[in-house]
Amino acid sequence: MLRRRFPSLPLLAVLRRLLCCALLGALPAWPAAAQEKIVLQLKHFHQFQFAGYYAALEKGFYREAGLDVRIVESSDGNEPERSVLAGKAQYGVGSSSLLLARLAGKPLVVLGVVFQHSPYALATAQSGSTPDLRAIAGKRVMIGSLTDELTQADEIMAYLKKEGIEPSALQRVEHTYNPDDLVKGKVDAQSIFVTNEPDYFDRIGFPYEIYSPRNAGIDFYGDNLFTSEQEIEAHPERVKAFRAASMRGWQYAMSHHEEMADLILNKYSRRNDRQHLLYEARAMVALVQPVLVEIGYMNPDRWQHIADVYAELGMLPKGASFDGFLYNMESGPSLAWLYRVLGAAAILLALGAGVHFSLLTRERSRADEAIRKGEARFRTMFEAAPMGIALIDTLSGQFRDVNPRFLDIAGRGADEMKARGWRDISHPDDVAAEQEQVDRMVAQQPGAPQHGFKLAKRLLRPDGGVVWVDASITAIDAAGAGQPHHLCMIEDITEKKQSEALIWQQANFDALTQLPNRRMFHNRLEQAIVKSRRDGNRVAILFIDLDHFKEVNDTLGHHQGDILLIDAARRIGGCVRESDTVARLGGDEFTVILGELADIGRVETIAQNIIDALRAPFALGQEQAFVSASIGITLYPDDAGSVDDLLKHADQAMYAAKDAGRNRFSYFTPALQVAALNRMRLTNDLRGAVKGGQLELYFQPIVHLRTGRIHKAEALIRWRHPLRGLVSPLEFVPLAEASGLIVEIGEWVFQESAHWIKRWRSEIHPAFQVSVNQSPLEFQREGGYEHWLRLLGELGLPGQSMVIEITEGLLLDASNAVTDQLLRLRDGGIQVALDDFGTGYSSLSYLKKFDIDYLKIDRSFTRNLAPDSSDMALSDAIIVMAHKLGLRVIAEGVETPEQRDLLAAAGCDYGQGYLFARPMPAAEFDVLLRARSAAA
């Protein structure tokens, strides 16, 4: 009978129990002893990972056990082992590497397991391809400490070895435990705690992959409470009391997440915020498994599994014994004590026999009560668990038991749930994948998970709503059920999925038009190229730029410009197939990918349809706006083999369409690439032109038509390239404007012109004037013309010695910056000439609004001057109008005496053209002036 009641105890232990029971019943109670001071050494900083110990301390469980416990944090994972062995701490928290320490001769004993599954895993940045752990071979990785392998490294290294990745194939980097190193690409993989780093990654929107050793069947214990053999021998009751109070604390902590999170923030640490602590708590439920396993439970077979893994790594000999490593709660003082009281035991043996049956009855009652309490505790934890839990018949899929949280997440009542199966409430698209995993779990095929699996899935609510959940499926042995069952634990991650979807949307789509952005466009183009290589069809890329969009933005405002862009996106999308991609790269630039092109002729049709669609007026409130489109077209694989080259060539073709007059499309040709290379090389050469003394100043005289005298000239820039010779301004000035070099070149022109003006005003004529052309980029620069006026003052020249020539287009932008610049010029005495008058917008309003001194009639009017011609009539009108407004007129392009005479008869003030002289170098113009001055 005794052996049946205590099957694991030897007979002497049974006698000792009976003896103790008898003696304790007869002895008076001892007064309470003072609380014993002990130290618990954690293996990390304070966080929810150690919540059970905080609960045991703060809820008074340690105090009730007669213990005064001090909890100490550390930043070194092996500090608990060292502290316990050195006597600085009596108890510690360690990983499964405690087994290595024990077999290395260190007298450590594990009291209980808190984490039934290890939280260690390996994280990598998410790639576009299928996740593959073997991709880290040859990459930089942080796995534990390089100087102390008994941290995270053993478990992760075993996992990698099992997956066929040798440590020698990795570039090991000392672990900083900073997740930013992975985010910023300093390393390619990093060992992490699944209860910590994923929350940080999710918050910043960093896409990642997690690889768990459990995927390869390596299932280590996580945090373990341990002590030393010395502590057990010297204080057996204290050890038992400390362990019981600690496990009681853990049961409380795992049922009161929010209370413990607030406790940690208020009394222990603010390194992490409340949201992170609760994330850690939820993640720990699946690792601690408080509902399924009694906290502290240790399975010797699991420890044997861990030892076998270490043996495979060569860290332990095979078959090594770890006797004494696991704490025996029934252990006590040595048998010497029993022998000392054996005589007393013999005397009381008769008494023991008399009370035997009474004790058995009492023990049976206690056992039944313990079972009832255990069932009640399990039920309470099941009902109050913060995550949804359901017991499911594996073969039929029917729900057998469901806790309130599961019902709340699913949005259904208990009766409805028990009448349904898991397939009925799952999204149809998710059922097949989950059923396949369930079948593998039942069949336990090679490579199938032996204990269960995890997945993210969708549940359908009765109202049609969809809930995303993280589900953990675990096969269990439901005694008496007659067929297999499994436990399904779920957590609502709908908000997380919505956040991920929003982040993905923002990262891949344009916020204004909802079209794919540059990143998504690149991805889709790469996919189209891959498909083209496989199928042999071509891919066309259309690069679309809206003509005159800036004018709409500037005149009607950015809000109306945004409305136009949205409508333009809709129109472009209406011209292509649903399988084609329309993207917005930014600003007014759109692109189109036309895939699977068997007929190239379709490209021109689509391009022309887009041009026609965009040419129609855009209704913008009370206004109408008109734009057109310039389109560049390039083909894969004809024009290029890479995404970057295709886009570059399409851009070049688009600019060719603009140069040809806009509102048209242009195909890429090799000539465009040559021209682009020439422009790039010429721009690079132009950067050294000023310092290299390659620029030359030319002057063309402006003649007073009534007297024939030269008192004015226009300064013109020329570039004498060391290899190309004289480069036309028509070729290099646009490059200077595009590159910003025009400002530096303009400064040089002004300074050279100022020095020639000084000479000619002092030696030729005191009122001599030079006109200098100004690009809009120069005119709108910061700082204005203050330094020009200073230079004129240093040379003793008045502002009237200089004329600034601008174009009509500049005056269309009636911004304060333009107005201020014109006012500064007027205040400094510098006069302004309006160049190429009559060829642009020719608005009379800006002649009235701004201070203009000269109008220059464009050569297109002068070229065809004849009596009674329309050009003559227009020239007459311009001259009369200018004089009425107090302006003087200069006619450009005068090449014949007849043109000169007609202009003079019409009252034109000045003429400029080949009839009088071609542009010439400054030194030659100086000779011409001196000769004319001497002749006069």
Side-chain angles (χ1 to χ4, degrees):
M1 294 293 289
L2 293 175
R3 294 291 291 173
R4 187 162 61 247
R5 176 64 188 89
F6 302 109
S8 61
L9 297 176
L11 178 60
L12 289 178
V14 175
L15 293 175
R16 177 181 170 186
R17 279 197 168 196
L18 292 174
L19 178 60
C20 289
C21 289
L23 291 175
L24 288 174
L27 291 175
W30 291 94
Q35 290 190 333
E36 299 181 62
K37 295 183 180 293
I38 59 174
V39 175
L40 169 63
Q41 177 73 61
L42 306 180
K43 67 171 185 173
H44 195 54
F45 298 124
H46 290 305
Q47 57 191 62
F48 206 98
Q49 181 182 351
F50 311 111
Y53 307 116
Y54 309 144
L57 181 61
E58 302 299 331
K59 305 306 291 186
F61 303 155
Y62 286 141
R63 185 173 60 255
E64 293 171 9
L67 303 175
D68 180 5
V69 178
R70 183 164 63 94
I71 301 175
V72 181
E73 66 177 1
S74 73
S75 58
D76 177 0
N78 281 343
E79 187 172 350
E81 176 189 319
R82 295 194 301 270
S83 296
V84 169
L85 291 174
K88 295 179 181 178
Q90 287 74 40
Y91 303 92
V93 179
S95 66
S96 292
S97 61
L98 289 167
L99 181 60
L100 295 176
R102 174 73 186 193
L103 295 179
K106 298 177 181 178
L108 301 179
V109 179
V110 175
L111 299 178
V113 171
V114 177
F115 281 37
Q116 292 294 319
H117 300 292
S118 171
Y120 291 129
L122 195 66
T124 66
Q126 193 177 83
S127 63
S129 57
T130 303
D132 185 1
L133 178 62
R134 289 169 296 182
I136 71 169
K139 303 291 183 63
R140 298 160 300 168
V141 298
M142 287 181 177
I143 304 176
S145 171
L146 298 181
T147 57
D148 185 358
E149 294 295 332
L150 305 185
T151 52
Q152 304 176 36
D154 48 8
E155 184 178 348
I156 300 297
M157 283 302 186
Y159 174 36
L160 295 177
K161 188 171 183 179
K162 198 158 187 178
E163 294 293 337
I165 304 171
E166 293 295 331
S168 59
L170 304 174
Q171 296 183 41
R172 290 281 300 279
V173 179
E174 182 65 43
H175 212 312
T176 62
Y177 304 99
N178 183 354
D180 279 334
D181 288 339
L182 180 62
V183 173
K184 295 178 180 178
K186 293 183 179 178
V187 293
D188 303 288
Q190 186 180 69
S191 57
I192 63 164
F193 239 50
V194 295
T195 58
N196 283 340
E197 284 83 357
D199 180 47
Y200 175 75
F201 295 149
D202 291 339
R203 291 197 195 192
I204 66 174
F206 174 67
Y208 60 94
E209 302 284 359
I210 289 183
Y211 301 91
S212 171
R214 292 170 67 189
N215 297 338
I218 297 173
D219 194 3
F220 278 26
Y221 282 133
D223 285 5
N224 307 286
L225 181 64
F226 73 95
T227 187
S228 65
E229 289 183 349
Q230 180 183 359
E231 175 72 5
I232 293 174
E233 291 173 1
H235 307 283
E237 296 303 323
R238 183 167 79 181
V239 172
K240 186 180 298 184
F242 179 77
R243 182 190 185 281
S246 298
M247 296 307 121
R248 186 180 171 193
W250 269 110
Q251 290 168 359
Y252 186 89
M254 294 310 294
S255 299
H256 299 82
H257 290 177
E258 296 195 1
E259 179 185 341
M260 295 311 302
D262 293 336
L263 172 65
I264 293 169
L265 287 173
N266 292 332
K267 297 195 68 172
Y268 289 92
S269 173
R270 288 187 173 271
R271 286 190 181 89
N272 296 305
D273 59 20
R274 192 173 190 271
Q275 180 182 344
H276 176 79
L277 291 173
L278 292 176
Y279 173 92
E280 189 180 355
R282 290 192 298 270
M284 283 170 56
V285 170
L287 302 177
V288 177
Q289 296 192 340
V291 176
L292 301 176
V293 181
E294 181 181 1
I295 298 178
Y297 171 72
M298 296 184 291
N299 185 344
D301 291 338
R302 282 281 299 283
W303 280 110
Q304 185 60 58
H305 160 75
I306 296 170
D308 291 342
V309 172
Y310 281 136
E312 290 178 10
L313 286 174
M315 303 173 72
L316 288 179
K318 290 187 178 181
S321 173
F322 49 90
D323 290 341
F325 178 58
L326 305 183
Y327 175 63
N328 180 3
M329 287 185 290
E330 299 297 333
S331 63
S334 66
L335 292 179
W337 176 88
L338 185 59
Y339 290 124
R340 288 196 298 269
V341 297
L342 189 57
I347 297 172
L348 294 174
L349 185 58
L351 177 62
V355 300
H356 170 64
F357 291 102
S358 174
L359 289 175
L360 283 181
T361 302
R362 183 186 301 175
E363 287 295 325
R364 185 175 295 109
S365 297
R366 289 179 179 175
D368 291 342
E369 179 65 19
I371 291 172
R372 283 195 298 273
K373 287 183 178 180
E375 290 177 347
R377 183 179 67 190
F378 172 83
R379 195 70 205 175
T380 299
M381 295 179 69
F382 179 79
E383 298 290 342
M387 64 193 314
I389 306 174
L391 179 66
I392 300 174
D393 185 314
T394 303
L395 298 183
S396 69
Q398 296 298 117
F399 289 96
R400 297 304 182 207
D401 200 359
V402 186
N403 78 341
R405 179 56 181 155
F406 200 109
L407 297 174
D408 180 52
I409 294 173
R412 301 174 186 270
D415 293 339
E416 180 187 2
M417 285 290 285
K418 290 183 180 180
R420 292 177 174 272
W422 66 264
R423 303 173 190 84
D424 300 326
I425 69 169
S426 299
H427 194 285
D429 294 343
D430 298 338
V431 170
E434 184 173 358
Q435 184 64 59
E436 180 183 354
Q437 297 238 52
V438 170
D439 293 342
R440 291 174 60 201
M441 180 178 68
V442 173
Q444 292 191 347
Q445 296 173 353
Q450 297 298 306
H451 303 288
F453 58 90
K454 291 183 178 181
L455 78 163
K457 59 179 288 186
R458 290 162 288 182
L459 300 182
L460 298 179
R461 285 181 166 174
D463 60 3
V466 176
V467 183
W468 273 99
V469 297
D470 264 345
S472 178
I473 313 297
T474 305
I476 63 172
D477 181 13
Q483 58 188 41
H485 283 66
H486 64 265
L487 205 64
C488 177
M489 294 182 286
I490 62 172
E491 185 176 5
D492 188 345
I493 59 168
T494 304
E495 289 187 7
K496 176 183 175 183
K497 283 289 185 180
Q498 290 172 344
S499 297
E500 290 174 351
L502 178 60
I503 292 170
W504 185 86
Q505 176 78 16
Q506 292 173 341
N508 293 281
F509 286 84
D510 174 52
L512 178 65
T513 63
Q514 300 307 307
L515 293 176
N517 61 12
R518 184 181 296 272
R519 176 179 174 179
M520 176 63 77
F521 169 78
H522 274 257
N523 288 340
R524 291 195 178 174
L525 182 53
E526 288 171 353
Q527 293 171 10
I529 289 174
V530 170
K531 187 171 177 57
S532 172
R533 289 172 183 160
R534 184 177 63 246
D535 300 342
N537 291 324
R538 287 185 172 89
V539 178
I541 295 91
L542 277 60
F543 198 103
I544 305 167
D545 187 86
L546 302 184
D547 304 324
H548 311 301
F549 174 73
K550 184 178 184 301
E551 285 86 333
V552 175
N553 244 2
D554 292 344
T555 54
L556 300 182
H558 290 283
H559 175 67
Q560 299 294 351
D562 288 347
I563 295 175
L564 189 150
L565 290 173
I566 294 171
D567 194 10
R570 180 187 59 79
R571 296 185 190 186
I572 295 171
C575 298
V576 301
R577 303 165 299 181
E578 288 189 8
S579 59
D580 297 325
T581 294
V582 179
R584 181 187 177 213
L585 299 188
D588 59 347
E589 294 179 343
F590 296 85
T591 51
V592 175
I593 302 172
L594 303 176
E596 301 180 3
L597 286 175
D599 178 14
I600 297 300
R602 287 190 56 254
V603 178
E604 292 190 14
T605 302
I606 293 173
Q608 190 58 53
N609 289 342
I610 293 173
I611 290 172
D612 294 341
L614 295 175
R615 192 160 44 200
F618 288 82
L620 304 177
Q622 301 298 319
E623 303 287 343
Q624 275 193 336
F626 293 85
V627 299
S628 58
S630 298
I631 303 178
I633 304 172
T634 187
L635 299 174
Y636 174 86
D638 307 61
D639 298 329
S642 70
V643 170
D644 291 340
D645 286 344
L646 285 168
L647 288 178
K648 179 176 64 178
H649 293 168
D651 188 52
Q652 293 167 1
M654 183 272 292
Y655 276 106
K658 280 189 177 294
D659 292 341
R662 305 184 180 186
N663 193 35
R664 66 194 66 216
F665 62 83
S666 174
Y667 280 96
F668 169 78
T669 64
L672 293 178
Q673 173 71 354
V674 172
L677 288 173
N678 285 336
R679 286 195 300 271
M680 180 189 70
R681 290 167 181 161
L682 202 59
T683 301
N684 290 337
D685 292 345
L686 186 58
R687 296 183 188 280
V690 174
K691 293 181 180 179
Q694 299 170 14
L695 298 182
E696 298 179 3
L697 200 59
Y698 277 49
F699 291 93
Q700 186 175 29
I702 300 174
V703 177
H704 190 266
L705 292 179
R706 187 169 57 82
T707 64
R709 293 177 179 174
I710 304 174
H711 294 160
K712 301 179 187 299
E714 180 179 358
L716 301 167
I717 185 72
R718 296 292 184 268
W719 178 21
R720 192 172 297 280
H721 192 280
L723 299 178
R724 298 170 182 250
L726 208 59
V727 181
S728 168
L730 296 177
E731 189 175 358
F732 75 81
V733 169
L735 299 180
E737 290 180 327
S739 63
L741 294 171
I742 193 68
V743 175
E744 180 184 358
I745 293 173
E747 290 292 322
W748 182 86
V749 170
F750 173 78
Q751 293 179 19
E752 288 294 308
S753 299
H755 287 92
W756 281 109
I757 294 172
K758 179 174 176 63
R759 175 186 295 187
W760 293 330
R761 287 179 77 93
S762 62
E763 298 177 7
I764 304 298
H765 194 282
F768 200 90
Q769 261 186 341
V770 170
S771 298
V772 176
N773 289 283
Q774 286 281 277
S775 161
L777 292 175
E778 293 180 85
F779 193 80
Q780 299 183 44
R781 69 187 162 204
E782 294 183 5
Y785 292 92
E786 300 301 326
H787 61 296
W788 283 22
L789 294 172
R790 268 198 310 273
L791 177 61
L792 293 177
E794 292 171 1
L795 295 174
L797 295 173
Q800 290 82 359
S801 63
M802 185 72 71
V803 177
I804 301 299
E805 293 193 11
I806 62 175
T807 58
E808 293 178 279
L810 183 63
L811 299 183
L812 282 177
D813 182 6
S815 64
N816 291 335
V818 172
T819 304
D820 291 346
Q821 293 286 53
L822 289 171
L823 289 174
R824 289 192 186 98
L825 290 174
R826 184 197 65 186
D827 295 342
I830 297 178
Q831 295 182 319
V832 177
L834 201 56
D835 200 9
D836 302 331
F837 186 79
T839 61
Y841 300 92
S842 300
S843 172
L844 300 182
S845 63
Y846 55 62
L847 293 179
K848 177 182 177 182
K849 179 179 179 180
F850 299 110
D851 288 314
I852 306 297
D853 300 284
Y854 295 94
L855 289 186
K856 298 192 76 171
I857 299 176
D858 188 69
R859 65 186 71 249
S860 60
F861 293 98
T862 309
R863 184 183 305 117
N864 299 316
L865 278 183
D868 301 324
S869 67
S870 59
D871 285 330
M872 189 68 240
L874 287 171
S875 297
D876 277 334
I878 292 171
I879 293 168
V880 171
M881 176 197 66
H883 287 168
K884 289 286 186 182
L885 294 173
L887 310 179
R888 283 165 287 180
V889 181
I890 301 171
E892 294 184 291
V894 180
E895 297 183 357
T896 67
E898 289 78 15
Q899 294 169 349
R900 177 196 59 195
D901 295 342
L902 287 170
L903 289 166
C908 184
D909 300 291
Y910 297 94
Q912 179 180 353
Y914 287 178
L915 174 65
F916 307 113
R918 293 174 177 270
M920 61 188 74
E924 293 183 19
F925 185 70
D926 182 63
V927 173
L928 173 66
L929 282 181
R930 294 183 184 281
R932 291 288 187 93
S933 177

